[in-house]
Amino acid sequence: MESKKESISPKLLSKLRKSLLSWFQKNKRELPFRINKNAYRIWVSEIMLQQTRVAAMLPIYETFLERFPDPRSLQNASEDEVMKYWKGLGYYSRARNLKKGAGLLVEKFSGQFPENFEDALSIPGVGSYTASAVLSIAYGKHHAVLDGNVKRVLSRLFLIEQDPLLNSTNQLLGNLALDFLNPEFPGDHNEAMMELGALVCVPIPICQSCPFAEDCEARIAGKEKEIPAAKSVDNWVDLDLHFLFLTSKDRILLLKYPGRRFFKTIYSLPFRLEGKHPYEKDPISEEFFATSRLNSNPHRAKHSITNHRIQLKLSETSEDDRTRIEEIFRKNLDVFFKWVKEEDLKEEFPSSISGKLIKLKNKTIKQPELPAGKV
């Protein structure tokens, strides 16, 4: 790292920093979390943008902040309501941590996001990246961000060819990001680096639009498309999620309990894991599928959760005697349940999966066409 740092002259650093900020002022997207420097709003945006693209996040972000404009309103809301406003973003542990964090801001920091880095790290779900982003953008603190976009920009600009999965490479890039950080405008610099990686220095770079084009070491070496080195994903888990529409008295059963693999904190249709997977069976879900009266839907849909490639399946059944069903819950006190109208399923099961399942349920089997002239 030292040799790399010493090879960057102060004159070049000054030039690159100025070029970056000039590009940012001319090309930055007008995004709602950039309207002001409110730390709460920036924090919410950074949590939402984890694992989520900006275009998908924006409408949910604005609706979320209309309902929860400050930490106290978020703290006072029920978890179910927070999950409803989070619907469409997935990774619901982020929403749960956000609500816990709002409570901490109210109780310990007078409703304000703390300006101290260590205090920021004490907030549930906040790591070094999020803390650096919020503190630099909202308060002008000297902390460099290092997300995937920034790593890609730095790797190309300074020709970092090491394996991006190595801790040593991550440390190298972290040190380089801090060295490169504009001491006068750290927040704008961080936003500019993230924006450049999102719009220009993308996996297949648009070098002709880059403010670093004439100084980018990877481009000069003809390696701009080879850096960063490709990551190999070899830990995918292929999985079938089999959901059940269990109807009783014109209502559908939804469950929530912490012992299952997915949807630990929100209500969902009963489901079980199928296919060749490394997980143990869930005895609660197995009870619901232990019947010969299931009507299996032949259609399938695709989905993904973290490193899981998922095939969605569904079956339907009905039960007049709810007491038989609810007896299962009396044996498992940590299981919560409710009966909802089918038209309320998307709201009550706040995941994009619910919409996919409704489409599957409403699909009809295409009838074979008869040859011309045949009736």
Side-chain angles (χ1 to χ4, degrees), residues 27-235:
N27 297 280
K28 67 179 178 181
R29 292 170 289 182
E30 296 301 323
L31 301 172
F33 44 86
R34 288 179 175 157
I35 294 174
N36 56 48
K37 300 298 184 181
N38 181 283
Y40 170 73
R41 295 174 63 89
I42 294 168
W43 171 47
V44 172
S45 73
E46 290 296 339
I47 298 300
M48 285 189 169
L49 283 170
Q50 295 170 7
Q51 310 290 337
T52 305
R53 298 180 68 84
V54 171
M57 165 270 203
L58 284 179
I60 299 171
Y61 172 78
E62 298 192 82
T63 303
F64 189 93
L65 284 177
E66 285 176 8
R67 172 61 188 87
F68 310 114
D70 52 53
R72 190 173 296 278
S73 60
L74 182 54
Q75 177 199 32
N76 292 337
S78 69
E79 186 173 292
D80 284 349
E81 184 180 17
V82 174
M83 293 304 174
K84 288 178 183 177
Y85 279 86
W86 194 266
K87 179 183 176 183
L89 292 175
Y91 304 93
Y92 289 93
S93 61
R94 293 182 297 167
R96 189 172 69 252
N97 281 332
L98 202 61
K99 176 172 164 52
K100 289 179 182 177
L104 186 64
L105 296 190
V106 171
E107 294 164 8
K108 187 176 179 180
F109 300 110
S110 302
Q112 301 297 317
F113 196 95
E115 297 188 32
N116 176 273
F117 192 79
E118 294 304 320
D119 286 340
L121 291 179
S122 72
I123 300 169
V126 172
S128 59
Y129 162 75
T130 303
S132 297
V134 177
L135 297 188
S136 64
I137 297 169
Y139 303 130
K141 300 293 184 178
H142 194 83
H143 298 291
V145 300
L146 193 66
D147 69 351
N149 286 328
V150 175
K151 289 180 180 180
R152 188 165 55 250
V153 174
L154 290 173
S155 294
R156 287 171 172 162
L157 179 58
F158 298 113
L159 195 62
I160 307 301
E161 300 184 85
Q162 289 93 323
D163 184 344
L165 297 180
L166 294 176
N167 289 334
S168 58
T169 307
N170 202 60
Q171 183 65 47
L172 169 65
L173 291 170
N175 292 339
L176 194 53
L178 189 58
D179 290 340
F180 187 42
L181 184 65
N182 190 315
E184 295 182 74
F185 309 103
D188 287 345
H189 178 99
N190 281 331
E191 286 198 271
M193 287 291 284
M194 292 186 284
E195 193 81 331
L196 185 65
L199 300 181
V200 175
C201 198
V202 290
I204 300 178
I206 310 170
C207 294
Q208 64 271 23
S209 300
C210 182
F212 299 150
E214 66 179 46
D215 298 296
C216 176
E217 294 185 32
R219 183 171 184 266
I220 294 170
K223 296 183 177 181
E224 68 273 17
K225 294 181 182 179
E226 301 171 19
I227 296 176
K231 300 177 183 178
S232 61
V233 179
D234 56 4
N235 64 337

Side-chain angles (χ1 to χ4, degrees), residues 187-290:
D188 287 345
H189 178 99
N190 281 331
E191 286 198 271
M193 287 291 284
M194 292 186 284
E195 193 81 331
L196 185 65
L199 300 181
V200 175
C201 198
V202 290
I204 300 178
I206 310 170
C207 294
Q208 64 271 23
S209 300
C210 182
F212 299 150
E214 66 179 46
D215 298 296
C216 176
E217 294 185 32
R219 183 171 184 266
I220 294 170
K223 296 183 177 181
E224 68 273 17
K225 294 181 182 179
E226 301 171 19
I227 296 176
K231 300 177 183 178
S232 61
V233 179
D234 56 4
N235 64 337
W236 285 106
V237 176
D238 291 305
L239 185 67
D240 290 349
L241 280 189
H242 190 171
F243 287 87
L244 180 63
F245 280 79
L246 196 161
T247 306
S248 179
K249 302 176 183 177
D250 299 321
R251 294 290 190 274
I252 297 173
L253 177 68
L254 297 184
L255 304 177
K256 179 175 73 169
Y257 54 98
R260 56 187 181 176
R261 179 70 193 176
F262 301 109
F263 312 116
K264 298 174 186 288
T265 61
I266 63 172
Y267 282 94
S268 77
L269 293 166
F271 67 90
R272 71 174 176 181
L273 311 181
E274 298 179 346
K276 294 181 179 180
H277 60 79
Y279 310 121
E280 295 182 4
K281 287 186 177 181
D282 175 0
I284 296 173
S285 68
E286 292 299 321
E287 288 197 53
F288 289 102
F289 286 86

